[in-house]
C-alpha cells in the first residue's frame, strides 16, 4: 500500500511530472549520454597509423596502408589467402599483373555515384527513445585522441560490511559529457583517420521492429545465449562455468544507493516495462522466464512468486545496457533497478551473472578498474596470470576484448587474491585482423571521392559479408550501431531470377517452385534431431508487462516446491517439472540472400504430398488424387543417407504428381545451390538429422552490409578503447596444455617464439584443426577429435568484378541466375549438381564498396572447382553469364577482378562449418568444451549460430566467461539472498531505532496512516479500465480458430495426431495474410468499436479519478491540520527532507492498490 496520490506539479511546458521527492539523482539519465572524446586528454598513438608490438626477440610493426592512390589499374587478383603477399591490405598496393589484353581505363570516365545509404544517419528509432546517431566517421585530419569519458564508476567490488541500514543518499554521478565532445572510432573505416565532430544526440540502440511481441519472445527463448550448458554432457568434459556458489560467512556488500534510482521517475511504468522487455529480447533472454543458468543459481534462494520481481530487475539492467552500450553499466546502476532495498543483493547477483556471461558491458567500451589498493601483497610481489588467445578473427578478438573488460571489472577480486589482473596476449598468424572477415581494398579508386565515402575504404568482402538482421539479440547491433557508429547499407530483398537464356523467370512460377522446395525440406524435417528442452520458470507475464513486482511472497524456494511436488504420488520427478514444451520447427520459406531456411512451429510432413502440392497452388496431374504421397521412409533408411541423397530422390517423385518441367528443375536446383551456399558444401555432404540444427535462432530485421568494409568491426575490437596486446604474423604451430589444470600451457609459433600461459583460448578454424598442422600436446582426446572429424567444413568462393560504370539495375542489390546442366533438358537431379552453384547468385555491392562492383557466389561443387580453375576462365564465364542478361553493354573485361580461394588459405582451409553427414546432435557443444586450461571458441563452437560472424563473436564471449569462472570460481550468493519482509533489520528501519534518517521513517509511517484514514472515508481510487485488444487479427484468429484447425486436418497423414495449438496459430496467421481487405473489414470494425467503448470508459474513469483526487487532497489537508506531520528533531535530523515531502517507500508496492499515474493514463488514452 502506498501513499495517496497527490496533485502533480507541472513543468513550464505544462507536462505532468511525477513528484518523487527525496530521490537520489536518477542514474538512468546518464545512460542517454554518449562516450565523449575530450580534446585535452592524453593522446594515445593513433591506432590505425602504426602500432608497434615488441617481443623479446622480435619487433613487429602493424601498419595500415595509407596509400590513397587515385589511379585506376586493371587487375585480376588471385586470392588464395594471406600467405600471398599480394593479398595483404597492409602491404603496398600490388602492381597490376601482366594481363596485356586488359584495356587501359580512362580515369575521367569513372564516376562513382554518391551512396544513398539507408544507414545510421539518423538511425531509425521509436519516437519515444532518444535518437541514435552514427558517430562521425571520417575526416582527413589525424585521428583524435580517444578518451572515453565515463562518469566515475563506483568500484565494482567494494568492501562488504553488513547492510540493512537505510542507504545514504547517492553521491551525484558526473554529469553527462557535453555533446560537443563526442567522437569515436578513428580509422574504423580505413586508411584516413577521422576528425572529431560533434553530435548532439544521445544514443540508444534501437531495433527496427519496435513492436514487441511477447509471444515471440518466449517462443524464441531457445538457447541462443552466449553460455548454454547442458549438464547431461558434463561427465564427458566438465565445462568451466558454474553458475554460483552460496556464501554465508562473508560480510554483505553495502550499497550507497537508493532503490529505483535507475528507473526514470518521469516514465510511465508500462513504458518502462516495455523498454525492459525490449532490453531482454535484444539480449537473447526471455523477459518472462529464467535462463537455465539463472534457474540453477536461484532455485535454492527464491520462490516461484519472487521470480517476477527478479526478472523485472534483470530486464531493467539489460534495458540500461541496450539503451546506451557506449557506457558500461555499473553495479550501483544495476542495483538501482530494484524497487526495494531488500532486493539489492539479488540485483547485484544478476548484474554479476549478466557481466560474466557477456550480456552487458561487452564490446568496445572503456571500463575503469578499481584504483583502490586492496589488501594483499605489494605490487612488486604480485603474480599475474596470462591468457593467450590464438587467432584474431571475430571470436578471438571478441574473447580478448571481453577478457580485458572482465579483468578490469573484477580487478579488485584479483588483487584480493594477491594478483594483478591477468594479461591477455593475442597471437595471429596473418598480417591483419578479422580472419574470415576480410574487406580487401581495391586497387581501383574513383577519380573523385564521393563525400559519402570520404575516409572509407573501397573494399569488397572476401568472407563474412551480410549481417542477417540487427534485431532480437544480434550482438553485432551493439558493436556496429551502438558503439562504433558505422555506416551500413540495407539490402533490398527484392530479386529477380534470370533463366539461362537471360530472361527473367515468371514470378508466379518462381513462387510455385519455391513452395515445392520448402515442402521437400519440411518433409525431411521429420527426421531431424530432437532439440532438448530446458526448464521454463516463468514470472507473472501481466505484472512484467506492467512493470510491477509481485507483492505475494511464499517462503518455499523453487527447489522446495519442486521437491514437494515430486513427492506426491505419481508425480513427475524434479527434472521433468516445468519443462518448456517441445517445439517442432518446420521450414516455411527460404532467405534468398543467405540461403538460410526460415522455420515456424508445426508438425513436419503432416499432410499427404498430393494434398499439399494442390494446397500450395499446383495442379495435380490427371488421375492423381489427393491421397497420393511420396515415398520417403525407404530413402531415410538407406545407409549413408544424407540431406542431399534423400532430396535428390524426392524431387523426381513430384513428377508423378504434377507437371514438372526442365525449368522447374533449374529453379529447384537454384534453391539447392542457395542452401549449399549457406552451408558451404554440396548438400549430399550434409547430415539429414542435423542440417538445420540452428533453426529458430535467426535475428530479425533487414540484412545489411557495412559501408567501407565489415572488417571495421574486428578492427574496432582490436583497437578500441585501447589496442589489444596483439601479435600479427605469429603463426602458432603447437599448443601444449594441461588437461587436468595442474600445469601451465605453452604456445609455440612457427619461428620458435613461445609464450607461457595459464589459459589458452584456441579460435583456430575447424578447417585448420581438421588439417592437423597445428599440434596439440597431449593430443586432443577422442571425444574432441571425433567432433572435429564429424562436423563439416566446406568452401564458398566469390568472384568479384569491378567495372568502370554499372550496366545492371542499380536499384536492386541481388539477382539470381539459373544454370543449365550438361544435358540441357535433363529431368535427372544428378545432372544439375556440378553447374547449379556457378555464378548462381550476384550481389550488386556498389553501395558498400564505393565503386561499381558485382560479386558472384560459387557454391557447392562450384566452390571447390574455383580452387582449381584459372582466373581468366572464371572471369570469361562470369562475363558470359552477365552478357546473357545485359547483352553487349557488359565489357569484355572488368577493370579489376578478385577471386577468393578459401580452401587454399592456410589459416582457414575452407569457409565455414556445416553439419557433416555423420554429425551427432551435440557436436557443436563438444567443440566448445574446454579441456583443462585449453578453451575453444570460433564459429564452429556455436551450435546456435554456426558459420556466422555473430556466432563467432558470441563464442568468444562464452569462452571469456569460462576463463573468468575458472579463475575466480562461481559467482558467490549471500544467504538469505532476499531479506525477508519481517527481518529485524527492516523493523529497526521502520521503527526508526538506530536509523540514520529516522525522520524519513516517521514521515513514511505518517503517510501510511494518513492513507489508511483517507481510504476508510472514500474507498480506493477507481481502477483504470483494462485496455481492449487493438488488433483486428486477434478477432480474426478467435473467430477462425475452428476453420484453421479443420484446414490442418484435411489430408493429414496417419499417425500425425491432432494439430497443435501452435500449428493452428501459424495456420490462422497464414489465413490472415491471404484475407482480402474487404474480408478484414468486420474485424477492423470490431477494433474500432472496442476503441470507442474504451475511450468512453476512460473518460468516465478520468472524471471519477479527478473527483477522487480532489476529495483526497481535501481530506489530506484536513488530516495534516488535525495531525501535524513529524518534524526534524533538534539534532538537525531530516535536514535534507522537509515536511510535506513525499518519501520513497521501501515497502514493495501493492500491485492492486488502484493508484494510477496520470502519465500512464495519458499514454493509455
Ligand atoms: C566466403 C565467406 C562468406 C561468408 N559470409 C558470411 C556472411 O555473409 N555472414 C556471416 O555472418 N558470416 C559469413 N561468413 C562466416 C564468417 O565469416 C565466419 O563464421 C567468422 O568470421 C569466423 O570467425 P572465427 O573467429 O570463428 O574464425 P576466423 O575469422 O577464421 O578467425 C580465426 C583466426 O585464427 C587465425 N589462425 C588460423 N590458424 C592460425 C595459426 N596456426 N596461428 C595463429 N593464428 C591462426 C586466422 O588467421 C584467423 O584470423 C562467411 C565466411 C566466408 C569464408
Amino acid at each position: 500500500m502506498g501513499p495517496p496520490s497527490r496533485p502533480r506539479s507541472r513543468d513550464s511546458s505544462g507536462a505532468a511530472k511525477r513528484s518523487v521527492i527525496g530521490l537520489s539523482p536518477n542514474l538512468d539519465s546518464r545512460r542517454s549520454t554518449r562516450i565523449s572524446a575530450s580534446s585535452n586528454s592524453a593522446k594515445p598513438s593513433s591506432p590505425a597509423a602504426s602500432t608497434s608490438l615488441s617481443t623479446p626477440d622480435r619487433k613487429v610493426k602493424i601498419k595500415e596502408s595509407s596509400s590513397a592512390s587515385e589511379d585506376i589499374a586493371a587487375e585480376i587478383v588471385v586470392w588464395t589467402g594471406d600467405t600471398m603477399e599480394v593479398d595483404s591490405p597492409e602491404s603496398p598496393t600490388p602492381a597490376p599483373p601482366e594481363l596485356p589484353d586488359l584495356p587501359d581505363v580512362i580515369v575521367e570516365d569513372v564516376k562513382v555515384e554518391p551512396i544513398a545509404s539507408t544507414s545510421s544517419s539518423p538511425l531509425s528509432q521509436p519516437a519515444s527513445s532518444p535518437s541514435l546517431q552514427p558517430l562521425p566517421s571520417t575526416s582527413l585530419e589525424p585521428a583524435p585522441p580517444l578518451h572515453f569519458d565515463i562518469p566515475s564508476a563506483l568500484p565494482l567490488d567494494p568492501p562488504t560490511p553488513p547492510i540493512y541500514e537505510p542507504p545514504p543518499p547517492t553521491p551525484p554521478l558526473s554529469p553527462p559529457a557535453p555533446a560537443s565532445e563526442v567522437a569515436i572510432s578513428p580509422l574504423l573505416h580505413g586508411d584516413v583517420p577521422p576528425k572529431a565532430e560533434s553530435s548532439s544526440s544521445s544514443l540508444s540502440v534501437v531495433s527496427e521492429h519496435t513492436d514487441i511481441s511477447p509471444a515471440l519472445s518466449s517462443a524464441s527463448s531457445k538457447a541462443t545465449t552466449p553460455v548454454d550448458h547442458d549438464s547431461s554432457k558434463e561427465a564427458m568434459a566438465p565445462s568451466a562455468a558454474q553458475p554460483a556458489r552460496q556464501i554465508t560467512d562473508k560480510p554483505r556488500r553495502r550499497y550507497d544507493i537508493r532503490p529505483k534510482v535507475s528507473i526514470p521517475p518521469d516514465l510511465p511504468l508500462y513504458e518502462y516495462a516495455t523498454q525492459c522487455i525490449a532490453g531482454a529480447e535484444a539480449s537473447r533472454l526471455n523477459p518472462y522466464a529464467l535462463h537455465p543458468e539463472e534457474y540453477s543459481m536461484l532455485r535454492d534462494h527464491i520462490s516461484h512468486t519472487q521470480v517476477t520481481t527478479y526478472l523485472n530487475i534483470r530486464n531493467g539492467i539489460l534495458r540500461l545496457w541496450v539503451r546506451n552500450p557506449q557506457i558500461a553499466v555499473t553495479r550501483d546502476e544495476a542495483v538501482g533497478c530494484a524497487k526495494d532495498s531488500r532486493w539489492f543483493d539479488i540485483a547485484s547477483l544478476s548484474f554479476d551473472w549478466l557481466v560474466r556471461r557477456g550480456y552487458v558491458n561487452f564490446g568496445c567500451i572503456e571500463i575503469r578498474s578499481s584504483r583502490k589498493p586492496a589488501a594483499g601483497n605489494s605490487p612488486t610481489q604480485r603474480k599475474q596470470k596470462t591468457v593467450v588467445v590464438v587467432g584474431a578473427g571475430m571470436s578471438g578478438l571478441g574473447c580478448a576484448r571481453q577478457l580485458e573488460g572482465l579483468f578490469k571489472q573484477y580487478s579488485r577480486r584479483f588483487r584480493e587474491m594477491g594478483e594483478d589482473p591477468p594479461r591477455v596476449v593475442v597471437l595471429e598468424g596473418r598480417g591483419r585482423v578479422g580472419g574470415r572477415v576480410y574487406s580487401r581494398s581495391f586497387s581501383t579508386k574513383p577519380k573523385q571521392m564521393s563525400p559519402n565515402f570520404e575516409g572509407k575504404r573501397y573494399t569488397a568482402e572476401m568472407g563474412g559479408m551480410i549481417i542477417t538482421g540487427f534485431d532480437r539479440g544480434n550482438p553485432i547491433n551493439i558493436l556496429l550501431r551502438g558503439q562504433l557508429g558505422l555506416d551500413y547499407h540495407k539490402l533490398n530483398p527484392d530479386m529477380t531470377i534470370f533463366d539461362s537464356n537471360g530472361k527473367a523467370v515468371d514470378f508466379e512460377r518462381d513462387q510455385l517452385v519455391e513452395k515445392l522446395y520448402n515442402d521437400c525440406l519440411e518433409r525431411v524435417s521429420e527426421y531431424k534431431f530432437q532439440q532438448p528442452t530446458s526448464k521454463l520458470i516463468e514470472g507473472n507475464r501481466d505484472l512484467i508487462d506492467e512493470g510491477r513486482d509481485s507483492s505475494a511472497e511464499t517462503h518455499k524456494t523453487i527447489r522446495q516446491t519442486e521437491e514437494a511436488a515430486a513427492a506426491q504420488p505419481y508425480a513427475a520427478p524434479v527434472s521433468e517439472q516445468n519443462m518448456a514444451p517441445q517445439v517442432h520447427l518446420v521450414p516455411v520459406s527460404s532467405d534468398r540472400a543467405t540461403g538460410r531456411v526460415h522455420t515456424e512451429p508445426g508438425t513436419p510432413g503432416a499432410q499427404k504430398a498430393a494434398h499439399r502440392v494442390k494446397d500450395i497452388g499446383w495442379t495435380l496431374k490427371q488421375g492423381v488424387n489427393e491421397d497420393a504421397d511420396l515415398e520417403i521412409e525407404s530413402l531415410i533408411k538407406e545407409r549413408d543417407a544424407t540431406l542431399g541423397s534423400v532430396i535428390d530422390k524426392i524431387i523426381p517423385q513430384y513428377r508423378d504428381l504434377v507437371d514438372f518441367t526442365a525449368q522447374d528443375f533449374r529453379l529447384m536446383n537454384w534453391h539447392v545451390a542457395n542452401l549449399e551456399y549457406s552451408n558451404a558444401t554440396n548438400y549430399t555432404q550434409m547430415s539429414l538429422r542435423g542440417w538445420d540444427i540452428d533453426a529458430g535462432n535467426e535475428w530479425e530485421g533487414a540484412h545489411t552490409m557495412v559501408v567501407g568494409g565489415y572488417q571495421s568491426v574486428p578492427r574496432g575490437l582490436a583497437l578500441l578503447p585501447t589496442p589489444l596486446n596483439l601479435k600479427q604474423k605469429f603463426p602458432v604451430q603447437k599448443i601444449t596444455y594441461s588437461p587436468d589444470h595442474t600445469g601451465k600451457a605453452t604456445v609455440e609459433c612457427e619461428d620458435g617464439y613461445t609464450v607461457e600461459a595459464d589459459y589458452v583460448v584456441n579460435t583456430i578454424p575447424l578447417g585448420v584443426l581438421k588439417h592437423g598442422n597445428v599440434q596439440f600436446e597431449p593430443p586432443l582426446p577422442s571425444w574432441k577429435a571425433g567432433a572435429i572429424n564429424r562436423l563439416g567444413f566446406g568452401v564458398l568462393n566469390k568472384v568479384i568484378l569491378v567495372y568502370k560504370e554499372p550496366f545492371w539495375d542499380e536499384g536492386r542489390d541481388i539477382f539470381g541466375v539459373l544454370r543449365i546442366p550438361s544435358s540441357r533438358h535433363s529431368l535427372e537431379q544428378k545432372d544439375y549438381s556440378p553447374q547449379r552453384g556457378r555464378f548462381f547468385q550476384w550481389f550488386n555491392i556498389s553501395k558498400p564498396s564505393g565503386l561499381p562492383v558485382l560479386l558472384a557466389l560459387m557454391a557447392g561443387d562450384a566452390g571447390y572447382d574455383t580452387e582449381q580453375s584459372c582466373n581468366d576462365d572464371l572471369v570469361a564465364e562470369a562475363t558470359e553469364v552477365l552478357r546473357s542478361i545485359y547483352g553487349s553493354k557488359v565489357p569484355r573485361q572488368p577493370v579489376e577482378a578478385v577471386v577468393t580461394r578459401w580452401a587454399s588459405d592456410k589459416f582457414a582451409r575452407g569457409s565455414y562449418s556445416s553439419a557433416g553427414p555423420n554429425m551427432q546432435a551435440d557436436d557443436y557443444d563438444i567443440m566448445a568444451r574446454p579441456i583443462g586450461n585449453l578453451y575453444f571458441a570460433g564459429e564452429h563452437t556455436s551450435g546456435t549460430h554456426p558459420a556466422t560472424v555473430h556466432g563467432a563473436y558470441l563464442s568468444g564471449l562464452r569462452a571469456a566467461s569460462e576463463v573468468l569462472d575458472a579463475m575466480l570460481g562461481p559467482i558467490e550468493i549471500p544467504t538469505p539472498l532476499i531479506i525477508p519482509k519481517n527481518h529485524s533489520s527492516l523493523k529497526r528501519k521502520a521503527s526508526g531505532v538506530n536509523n540514520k534518517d529516522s525522520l524519513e521513517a516517521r514521515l513514511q509511517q505518517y503517510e501510511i496512516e494518513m492513507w489508511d484514514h483517507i481510504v476508510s472515508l472514500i474507498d480506493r481510487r477507481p481502477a483504470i479500465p483494462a485496455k481492449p485488444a487493438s488488433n483486428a487479427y486477434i478477432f480474426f484468429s478467435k473467430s477462425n480458430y475452428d476453420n484453421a484447425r479443420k484446414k490442418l486436418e484435411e489430408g493429414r497423414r496417419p499417425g500425425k495426431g491432432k494439430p497443435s495449438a501452435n500449428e493452428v496459430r501459424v495456420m490462422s496467421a497464414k489465413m490472415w495474410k491471404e484475407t482480402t481487405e474487404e474480408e478484414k473489414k468486420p474485424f477492423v470494425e470490431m477494433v474500432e468499436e472496442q476503441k470507442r467503448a474504451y475511450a468512453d470508459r476512460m473518460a468516465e474513469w478520468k472524471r471519477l479519478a479527478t473527483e477522487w483526487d480532489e476529495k483526497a487532497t481535501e481530506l489530506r489537508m484536513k488530516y495534516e491540520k488535525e495531525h501535524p506531520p513529524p518534524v526534524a528533531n533538534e539534532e538537525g535530523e531530516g535536514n535534507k527532507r522537509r515536511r510535506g515531502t513525499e518519501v520513497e517507500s521501501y515497502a514493495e508496492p501493492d500491485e492492486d492498490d488502484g493508484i494510477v499515474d496520470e502519465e500512464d493514463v495519458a499514454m493509455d488514452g
Side-chain angles (χ1 to χ4, degrees), residues 390-396 427-430 434-437 462-466 677 710 730-732 763-765 768 774 796 798 902 906-907 910-912 938-940 947-950 952:
V390 182
M394 277 301 283
S395 58
L427 297 179
E428 167 56 50
R430 301 177 197 264
R436 280 169 277 166
V437 177
M462 305 292 113
M465 177 166 88
I466 299 176
Y677 145 45
Y710 204 167
F730 276 74
V732 169
T763 76
I764 287 176
V768 179
V774 177
L796 168 80
K798 297 181 178 179
W902 280 101
K906 86 169 219 185
F907 294 114
S911 297
Y912 38 84
E939 56 84 13
H940 57 284
T948 60
V949 174
H950 51 262

Side-chain angles (χ1 to χ4, degrees), residues 46 69 100 204 218 241 359 420 483 501 785 792 906 912 917 921 945 970 1151 1160:
S46 166
S69 158
S204 90
S218 51
Y359 288 107
D420 272 336
Q483 295 175 342
N501 59 3
K906 86 169 219 185
Y912 38 84
H945 302 279
E1151 73 236 39
D1160 295 10

Side-chain angles (χ1 to χ4, degrees), residues 79 82 389-398 427-438 461-468 476 593-594 596 677 680 704 710 727 729-734 747-750 762-766 768-769 773-774 793-798 857 900 902 905-908 910-913 937-941 945-953 955:
W79 187 67
D82 296 274
V389 177
V390 182
M394 277 301 283
S395 58
L397 293 171
L427 297 179
E428 167 56 50
R430 301 177 197 264
R432 61 167 176 85
V433 298
R436 280 169 277 166
V437 177
Y438 175 29
E461 306 298 354
M462 305 292 113
M465 177 166 88
I466 299 176
I467 301 162
T468 52
I476 304 297
T594 63
R596 301 236 159 209
Y677 145 45
T704 53
Y710 204 167
K727 299 179 195 310
K729 296 191 179 164
F730 276 74
V732 169
Q733 68 173 12
K734 185 173 176 188
V747 183
E748 195 183 315
C749 296
E750 281 176 8
N762 172 28
T763 76
I764 287 176
L766 179 60
V768 179
L769 294 176
N773 57 336
V774 177
F793 198 80
V795 66
L796 168 80
N797 274 314
K798 297 181 178 179
L857 297 181
T900 70
W902 280 101
D905 178 340
K906 86 169 219 185
F907 294 114
S911 297
Y912 38 84
S913 66
E939 56 84 13
H940 57 284
T941 67
H945 302 279
T948 60
V949 174
H950 51 262
Y953 181 68
S955 77

Side-chain angles (χ1 to χ4, degrees), residues 1055-1071:
K1056 286 290 165 188
K1058 287 210 173 318
S1060 67
N1062 256 337
E1063 270 178 89
V1064 180
R1065 260 198 295 273
V1066 171
M1067 177 54 80
S1068 27
K1070 238 182 239 165
M1071 287 162 60

